[in-house]
Amino acid sequence: MVKKWLNVVATAALLSTVAVAGCSSGDTGSSSTGQGEAGGGSGAAKELGQIALYSPETPDMTKEIGQNFEKAFKGSTVNIQYAGTNVLVNKMIAEKDNPMGDVWYGGGGFLPFESAKDKDIITAYTPEAIKDWPEVRDGIKIRDKDWKWIGAEVFVLGFVYNTDLVKPEEAPKTWDDLLDPKWKGKLQMPNPAASGTATLTVLSQLMERGEEPGWEYFKKLVDQMSAMPDSGWRPEKR
């Protein structure tokens, strides 16, 4: 049976971006799989062959991206490496001297990409279609000033509940409602050490509450959890 899920908007919504970037060992010409320039660009006319795609987006979405790329560029094969944003960043840092990835797509906010830029594990790429984009639009940073990452989505942090198990009038309406004893052992959230989106969730609450009250809140929230998987799509639909 397919469970029904209902979005609940967070009281302190945080807007963020998801970015597109290429993995490299510091040069702009190659990666470990020898695919030419990251991101496509002038390499579109070349024989692309095997392409390693790193992505924390949902498996279905990432699979569709890979399949559509293979259709558009005959002779290419996209090998998907799926993991949480922070896991992927740490993987690429570890692979810096021998990079195994060609393209990195997606992630929770731009902070992981800023970290990747500092570690020199991504290379610049300016898509022709958005070459006139400003660095900041409507107060939101939508790309890196050096084009090391590019914003692709804006999303709102919140939580969901299973409408087969929880009545609308009983559902939590605020983040503090999640601390109610009746939810103990019935909540799940991604692990902030692995998930970029979960990292943003933590940061948003620290900004809203202040550092000490924010950490006190999360100590209590963790006690309510039945599991903390490594990515945002993995909490079980029960």
Side-chain angles (χ1 to χ4, degrees), residues 87-101:
V87 172
L88 288 176
V89 171
N90 288 333
K91 176 178 174 65
M92 286 183 281
I93 291 173
E95 295 174 351
K96 181 178 179 180
D97 294 331
N98 183 30
M100 305 300 291

Side-chain angles (χ1 to χ4, degrees), residues 98-109:
N98 183 30
M100 305 300 291
D102 296 299
V103 180
W104 169 20
Y105 177 83

